Amino acid sequence: MHSTMMDVPLSLNSLLERAGQLFSSNEIVSRRPDKTLVRHTYGEWYRRTRSLAAALVDLGIGKGDRVATLCWNHHAHLECYFGIPAAGAVMHTLNIRLAPDEIGWIAGDARDRVLIVDDVLLPLYRQFADLHRFEHVIVYAFSGQPVPDGFTDYDAWIGAADGAGFRYVEHAETDPVAMCYTSGTTGRPKGVAYSHRSTVLHTLVASLGDFWGLKGSDVVLPVTPMFHANCWGVPYGTVMMGTKLVFPGPHLHPEDLLDLITAEQPTLSLGVPTIWMGLIQTFDAALQADHPHYGRWKLPRGMRSLVGGAAVPESLIRAFDQHGIWLLQGWGMTETSPLATVSYPKAELRNVSMDERYRRAAMAGVPVPLVDLRLRGDDGQDAPWNGQAMGEIQVRGPFITGSYHGVPVSEEKFTTDGWLRTGDVAAVDELGFVRITDRTKDLIKSGGEWISSVDLENALMAHPAVAEAAVIAIPDEKWSERPLACVVFRKGQSAEPPELSAHLMRHHFAKWQLPDRYEFIDALPRTATGKFWKLKLRELYPR
Ligand code: ADP
């Protein structure tokens, strides 16, 4: 039988058209550098996005060409998410938090032809401009100031193009739409390219009720940068559903985020755990009647918050739940689009205690549809899903990358039978809940036994005096490696090492698993995507 359904390619363009047709009055809010809010409707955004596509075609940009962005989170960046693919080109989001040399190297490796950059980020652009020559540099006047001489003004440029008459560039569903580089915490950055097909499938799966549960009536606050794994794919979903968006622009400090949250009352937000740790500390401190910001902020009860990119401590989940906000943990990576697992209350857990719900919420969760997941033990065999046996997570599916840009497929990254090797070590239990114990290279090997740095960190962060903790391995003559804990205390609080070790033993750690040493520091170094930067800590404490 040959005649089945129509062979219409999956396409971001159909999501764009749908938004223009159905949601023209819903809002897209962006906070500008001067902290004022600018409001666009989806209708305006749709017209501007088509004009961007037309302007790119006029520039001679064609199929598969890379168009880079160096931008904060705002409406014009969202125009790039759809306008660049509409022109047949590939949006390449550059990570503004990387060192300039590295950004230049990445732009060169991707062979980006055009750069769209916020005016406030021009000083950063100038630092790597010599490393890669873009054919065109287009400046978005995010600050509202005139665009400096010698650059094309984004608004004027798209304003001059015929958006209304624009015709979508034909494409196959496997053609690329976007590209991100892995942030390089584990080595040289590598490019991952997403297709129309992978992006649409990821959007449909991730939007399901147990995961993002995205509704047209939601108000979504993406704190996750739009250059971090495409803002976890959420902007594609919000456009699909015409959901109101609130972009925080360049202001990501806890106080600024709390101001924005109080003003716009989001129902769904997303960010890495470190963002939410800072936010809840600031919020809780201001609950004291003598605090200078007492009464200034209101958290929206019932908000869901997508958290991932690093392990989410149970203490953080409990702290937010006190205010009626549920943290929904996901695990994934740039290579997986990124959503691969989500921790949600499965039907089997309907009657479990709150303690058990928190415990599960602190796990990476259950594989989402279309993601096949297996655990490979050291012996090369599949490890059983019994909650104990550990192995490397390997995944396969239509939104998992099959290669890296310009890099030959190697066995280090892909198995011979076609699975992605994630480099994350985990156990999976009978219900299918994945518990990440470490990255392969973060595990601490002491006397032939593995110690999970993630477990130690989570337990330390459950101590009332501890704001943040990261555990690394230091070399040891006798045991080969031993744990070192780097701890940041909450304001005005402290604890001695014996007290912290006693606390860990109450959390069921054996004596030999306890850190040999504690370093008390003012702040943990962060990676370009806001995670604790263990590589830097290893440099700081080589022994
Ligand atoms: P990079 O690998 O360069 O940091 P990614 O943002 O793609 O860039 O990070 C993916 C990695 O982040 C995963 O391989 C995993 O180690 C970590 N990670 C993501 N989500 C979680 C989570 N929920 N729990 C623990 N680790 C996580």
Short mmCIF file of all heavy atoms in Angstrom, two decimals, residues 182-185 228 308-311 329-335 422 424 436 439 531, ligand 1:
data_model
loop_
_atom_site.label_atom_id
_atom_site.label_comp_id
_atom_site.label_asym_id
_atom_site.label_seq_id
_atom_site.Cartn_x
_atom_site.Cartn_y
_atom_site.Cartn_z
N THR A 182 28.34 23.31 21.49
CA THR A 182 28.41 22.82 22.87
C THR A 182 29.30 23.81 23.61
O THR A 182 30.24 24.34 23.02
CB THR A 182 29.02 21.41 22.95
OG1 THR A 182 30.33 21.48 22.38
CG2 THR A 182 28.19 20.40 22.18
N SER A 183 29.00 24.05 24.89
CA SER A 183 29.69 25.17 25.53
C SER A 183 31.14 24.87 25.84
O SER A 183 31.88 25.73 26.29
CB SER A 183 28.93 25.63 26.77
OG SER A 183 28.91 24.59 27.70
N GLY A 184 31.57 23.65 25.59
CA GLY A 184 33.00 23.40 25.70
C GLY A 184 33.48 23.18 27.11
O GLY A 184 34.68 23.24 27.38
N THR A 185 32.54 22.90 28.04
CA THR A 185 32.98 22.57 29.40
C THR A 185 33.79 21.29 29.37
O THR A 185 34.55 21.01 30.26
CB THR A 185 31.77 22.38 30.35
OG1 THR A 185 30.60 22.25 29.57
CG2 THR A 185 31.62 23.54 31.30
N HIS A 228 21.63 29.44 24.52
CA HIS A 228 21.90 28.19 25.24
C HIS A 228 20.93 27.10 24.73
O HIS A 228 19.77 27.06 25.13
CB HIS A 228 21.75 28.40 26.74
CG HIS A 228 22.13 27.19 27.54
ND1 HIS A 228 21.77 26.99 28.84
CD2 HIS A 228 22.85 26.10 27.21
CE1 HIS A 228 22.22 25.84 29.27
NE2 HIS A 228 22.89 25.28 28.30
N GLY A 308 17.05 22.95 34.45
CA GLY A 308 17.90 21.88 33.95
C GLY A 308 19.24 22.44 33.58
O GLY A 308 19.57 23.58 33.93
N GLY A 309 20.01 21.64 32.86
CA GLY A 309 21.35 22.08 32.49
C GLY A 309 22.37 21.68 33.52
O GLY A 309 23.56 21.61 33.25
N ALA A 310 21.92 21.41 34.74
CA ALA A 310 22.78 20.92 35.81
C ALA A 310 21.84 20.32 36.85
O ALA A 310 20.63 20.58 36.81
CB ALA A 310 23.58 22.06 36.43
N ALA A 311 22.39 19.54 37.77
CA ALA A 311 21.56 18.87 38.76
C ALA A 311 20.79 19.90 39.59
O ALA A 311 21.31 20.96 39.92
CB ALA A 311 22.44 18.03 39.67
N GLN A 329 12.22 19.45 36.63
CA GLN A 329 13.59 19.22 36.17
C GLN A 329 13.63 18.45 34.85
O GLN A 329 12.91 17.47 34.66
CB GLN A 329 14.37 18.45 37.22
CG GLN A 329 15.73 18.00 36.73
CD GLN A 329 16.70 17.60 37.82
OE1 GLN A 329 17.89 17.65 37.63
NE2 GLN A 329 16.20 17.22 38.96
N GLY A 330 14.48 18.90 33.95
CA GLY A 330 14.73 18.15 32.73
C GLY A 330 16.22 17.92 32.58
O GLY A 330 17.03 18.66 33.16
N TRP A 331 16.56 16.87 31.87
CA TRP A 331 17.96 16.62 31.57
C TRP A 331 18.10 16.58 30.04
O TRP A 331 17.21 16.09 29.33
CB TRP A 331 18.41 15.28 32.17
CG TRP A 331 19.72 14.81 31.59
CD1 TRP A 331 20.98 15.16 31.99
CD2 TRP A 331 19.89 13.91 30.48
NE1 TRP A 331 21.91 14.55 31.20
CE2 TRP A 331 21.28 13.77 30.26
CE3 TRP A 331 19.01 13.21 29.66
CZ2 TRP A 331 21.81 12.96 29.26
CZ3 TRP A 331 19.52 12.41 28.65
CH2 TRP A 331 20.92 12.29 28.46
N GLY A 332 19.22 17.10 29.59
CA GLY A 332 19.48 17.03 28.16
C GLY A 332 20.77 17.75 27.87
O GLY A 332 21.48 18.18 28.78
N MET A 333 21.07 17.88 26.62
CA MET A 333 22.29 18.57 26.22
C MET A 333 22.07 19.21 24.85
O MET A 333 21.08 18.92 24.18
CB MET A 333 23.48 17.61 26.23
CG MET A 333 23.27 16.34 25.45
SD MET A 333 24.26 14.93 26.04
CE MET A 333 25.92 15.57 25.94
N THR A 334 22.99 20.08 24.47
CA THR A 334 22.90 20.73 23.17
C THR A 334 22.62 19.69 22.08
O THR A 334 21.83 19.92 21.17
CB THR A 334 24.25 21.45 22.89
OG1 THR A 334 24.47 22.35 23.98
CG2 THR A 334 24.21 22.21 21.60
N GLU A 335 23.24 18.54 22.20
CA GLU A 335 23.12 17.46 21.20
C GLU A 335 21.73 16.84 21.15
O GLU A 335 21.40 16.14 20.21
CB GLU A 335 24.12 16.34 21.53
CG GLU A 335 25.58 16.69 21.30
CD GLU A 335 26.25 17.33 22.50
OE1 GLU A 335 25.56 18.01 23.30
OE2 GLU A 335 27.47 17.18 22.65
N THR A 422 26.60 10.17 25.75
CA THR A 422 26.41 11.49 26.36
C THR A 422 27.53 11.88 27.32
O THR A 422 27.69 13.05 27.65
CB THR A 422 25.09 11.53 27.16
OG1 THR A 422 25.22 10.64 28.27
CG2 THR A 422 23.90 11.15 26.30
N ASP A 424 27.41 11.26 30.35
CA ASP A 424 26.79 11.37 31.67
C ASP A 424 26.59 9.97 32.24
O ASP A 424 26.19 9.05 31.53
CB ASP A 424 25.42 12.06 31.58
CG ASP A 424 25.57 13.57 31.41
OD1 ASP A 424 26.62 14.11 31.77
OD2 ASP A 424 24.63 14.19 30.90
N ILE A 436 21.07 11.11 37.52
CA ILE A 436 22.42 11.40 37.03
C ILE A 436 23.36 11.39 38.22
O ILE A 436 23.12 12.10 39.20
CB ILE A 436 22.50 12.80 36.38
CG1 ILE A 436 21.39 13.01 35.35
CG2 ILE A 436 23.89 13.07 35.81
CD1 ILE A 436 21.67 12.51 34.00
N ARG A 439 29.08 13.50 35.47
CA ARG A 439 29.65 13.37 34.15
C ARG A 439 30.82 12.42 34.29
O ARG A 439 31.46 12.38 35.35
CB ARG A 439 30.17 14.72 33.67
CG ARG A 439 29.06 15.61 33.23
CD ARG A 439 29.64 16.80 32.53
NE ARG A 439 28.58 17.57 31.97
CZ ARG A 439 28.77 18.59 31.15
NH1 ARG A 439 29.99 18.92 30.79
NH2 ARG A 439 27.76 19.25 30.67
N LYS A 531 26.41 27.47 34.76
CA LYS A 531 26.53 26.31 35.65
C LYS A 531 27.79 26.46 36.50
O LYS A 531 28.69 27.20 36.16
CB LYS A 531 26.66 25.03 34.82
CG LYS A 531 25.58 24.89 33.76
CD LYS A 531 25.80 23.62 32.97
CE LYS A 531 24.95 23.60 31.74
NZ LYS A 531 25.08 22.38 30.97
P1 ADP B 1 28.05 21.56 27.96
O1 ADP B 1 28.05 20.06 27.84
O2 ADP B 1 29.10 22.15 27.15
O3 ADP B 1 27.96 22.07 29.38
P2 ADP B 1 25.21 21.59 27.55
O4 ADP B 1 24.48 22.81 27.95
O5 ADP B 1 24.80 20.88 26.34
O6 ADP B 1 26.68 22.05 27.33
O7 ADP B 1 25.23 20.65 28.81
C1 ADP B 1 24.76 19.34 28.82
C2 ADP B 1 25.18 18.67 30.08
O8 ADP B 1 24.62 19.34 31.22
C3 ADP B 1 24.69 17.26 30.21
O9 ADP B 1 25.52 16.38 29.50
C4 ADP B 1 24.75 17.04 31.72
O10 ADP B 1 26.06 16.70 32.15
C5 ADP B 1 24.41 18.39 32.27
N1 ADP B 1 23.00 18.40 32.66
C6 ADP B 1 21.96 18.87 31.95
N2 ADP B 1 20.81 18.72 32.62
C7 ADP B 1 21.10 18.12 33.79
C8 ADP B 1 20.34 17.67 34.92
N3 ADP B 1 19.03 17.84 35.01
N4 ADP B 1 21.02 17.05 35.94
C9 ADP B 1 22.35 16.89 35.88
N5 ADP B 1 23.12 17.29 34.85
C10 ADP B 1 22.51 17.90 33.81
#
